[in-house]
Amino acid sequence: MATFRSIKELTRALQQGTKLLSNMFLQRKTIAVKYDDALDTLDGDENKLKHLITFGVIVQTGDSLELDDAYQRFFEEVLAVNEDINISSVKMYIDKLNLGISSYLAAENNVRRESFMREIRHTFKSIDNATRRNVIDLKRIVDDTYKQEPNFKIKELRLKDFDEKARLIGELIRQTEHVIDEQTIFFSSVSDYGLKQTVSEVRDGLRESAHGLIAITAQIIEYLNRIEYQSRLVKRVRQLKYLRDQFMIEQATNVKEVMAQTNTVWMESKPKYVTRVSLDFLRNEDAALEILDNIRKRLSKKANIKSRLAEKIDESYLEEQTETARAFNHQELLNGFLAQSSDLFYYLWNYSFTKTPDKELRLVLFLQMASQYPEQMRFTTETKTIENIEYPIIYPR
């Protein structure tokens, strides 16, 4: 397998395959990308795809393509989405730190000492970064595992593994602080401002990581206790379901006595009663102004609500007015109609009233008389017309 000879060559290769690498990274936990699909993503440029495979960025297995583990871990760590806690051996970090200090003290010239000093600062920063990143990742993964893993057994196994990794991170923090305390004379005697600043920053970072680790450990213990309780509960529910399916639950358990003593009212939702103000009250009562003012303050409205005063009553409404209702004696009109020989409409049209009614009123009287006394009238099929009004001929019976 070929290897990149420079950073420039590496970044150029990654830049050319950006679209494909992005898609493969998004699908790293689900499916492997097919060769033809990858080729379509690169717009059919097979040279770019073969270049990434040749230099080990992409691993080909048959017709399937996957990201190389090294590049996948690099992308996950840089983007802070890694799901694995990569804590190296505590002994390796501490041995490297002690080796750098011993080498500095044994160096015979300033050039070598400066080289070893950079190594010591780099080791301290590596320890600080490793603890910070792993504490953050551990907290996120612990929460995700408890909330998303459906299998209780797998959930318990993974949480116990995270508890062990938390112990290793805590051990690295304690060992690093022990080295700093043990080499106090060395750090105070070295006239390197960068090292003193680095040690101070590492102390603060380790203290912050230790506090976060305590919270994570407590959270893991709580989650494990919940899993144990839930596992026991599920086991009991399964046992009860088995007894119910076998029609043995009433004989093998005291479920009737327990259910009889159970107060199920607490399981019901608490009722809420809302008293609504009527619209008539809001429209007509002055006391509603206070309610509306409180609502305005809650809604932060700037419009002021003024008292609603009725306008002055028009004087025409106060004047006394009389209306004369005209009434007709239908029986008297009927008697007169029966005593003569003309038809009903002609009779009413020419009848002499005390106050002469209009044409419309005479027509109304005609309809009223015809509908009120049909037994005493004889209806014909003939019609006549008076002043463009066509009417049926009705004679007295």
Side-chain angles (χ1 to χ4, degrees), residues 53-310:
I53 296 174
T54 302
F55 282 84
V57 178
I58 296 176
V59 179
Q60 182 177 8
T61 306
D63 191 44
S64 300
L65 303 178
E66 294 181 356
L67 276 176
D68 182 71
D69 291 340
Y71 288 95
Q72 180 172 319
R73 288 196 304 269
F74 170 72
F75 294 147
E76 288 178 342
E77 290 181 2
V78 171
L79 298 176
V81 294
N82 54 309
E83 297 183 359
D84 297 324
I85 305 301
N86 299 318
I87 182 68
S88 301
S89 173
V90 176
K91 187 175 184 303
M92 182 193 72
Y93 275 117
I94 301 303
D95 289 347
K96 185 177 181 181
L97 189 58
N98 288 328
L99 178 62
I101 294 175
S102 299
S103 300
Y104 178 87
L105 295 175
E108 66 281 357
N109 56 59
N110 293 333
V111 177
R112 297 296 304 279
R113 288 182 177 179
E114 182 62 29
S115 175
F116 292 128
M117 181 59 65
R118 286 196 299 270
E119 180 181 341
I120 294 172
R121 291 198 298 267
H122 177 74
T123 304
F124 269 123
K125 291 180 180 179
S126 297
I127 294 174
D128 185 26
N129 292 333
T131 53
R132 285 178 182 269
R133 176 62 60 83
N134 282 293
V135 167
I136 295 173
D137 294 340
L138 186 62
K139 184 180 186 305
R140 185 186 73 252
I141 298 172
V142 166
D143 291 337
D144 292 344
T145 300
Y146 178 77
K147 296 176 182 178
Q148 299 180 9
E149 177 57 52
N151 189 295
F152 282 122
K153 187 62 178 177
I154 296 176
K155 186 183 298 187
E156 183 181 11
L157 291 174
R158 290 181 63 84
L159 287 175
K160 288 182 178 179
D161 180 65
F162 294 147
D163 187 52
E164 176 62 22
K165 290 181 178 179
R167 187 191 65 80
L168 293 176
I169 297 174
E171 183 64 22
L172 176 60
I173 294 174
R174 287 189 292 272
Q175 291 289 345
T176 305
E177 291 177 340
H178 178 71
V179 172
I180 294 175
D181 295 336
E182 192 179 43
Q183 299 290 342
T184 303
I185 298 176
F186 167 75
F187 293 125
S188 60
S189 61
V190 174
S191 57
D192 187 277
Y193 177 77
L195 178 63
K196 294 180 179 179
Q197 184 178 5
T198 299
V199 172
S200 177
E201 293 175 353
V202 169
R203 277 185 181 273
D204 295 338
L206 293 178
R207 189 179 299 111
E208 182 179 350
S209 298
H211 291 164
L213 205 59
I214 293 173
I216 293 173
T217 303
Q219 189 68 61
I220 292 175
I221 294 173
E222 181 182 354
Y223 284 160
L224 289 174
N225 291 335
R226 289 184 187 178
I227 292 173
E228 183 180 0
Y229 169 75
Q230 292 168 356
S231 300
R232 292 199 308 268
L233 184 62
V234 169
K235 185 177 179 180
R236 292 180 180 178
V237 170
R238 287 176 178 173
Q239 291 176 348
L240 291 174
K241 184 178 182 300
Y242 171 77
L243 294 174
R244 188 199 65 179
D245 294 340
Q246 298 298 320
F247 300 98
M248 299 168 54
I249 188 169
E250 294 183 2
Q251 290 75 18
T253 64
N254 61 339
V255 62
K256 285 189 174 181
E257 291 78 1
V258 173
M259 295 302 296
Q261 298 174 3
T262 302
N263 182 12
T264 57
V265 177
W266 66 271
M267 300 178 66
E268 298 181 359
S269 59
K270 185 178 181 181
K272 295 182 179 179
Y273 302 100
V274 179
T275 303
R276 302 185 184 278
V277 181
S278 66
L279 294 177
D280 292 337
F281 176 80
L282 292 176
R283 290 192 186 103
N284 304 322
E285 300 293 335
D286 290 337
L289 294 175
E290 183 178 356
I291 297 176
L292 296 176
D293 186 60
N294 292 333
I295 295 175
R296 180 187 63 82
K297 291 179 180 178
R298 291 183 182 180
L299 298 178
S300 300
K301 300 294 183 182
K302 296 182 179 180
N304 294 326
I305 301 176
K306 298 181 180 180
S307 178
R308 294 167 294 186
L309 299 177

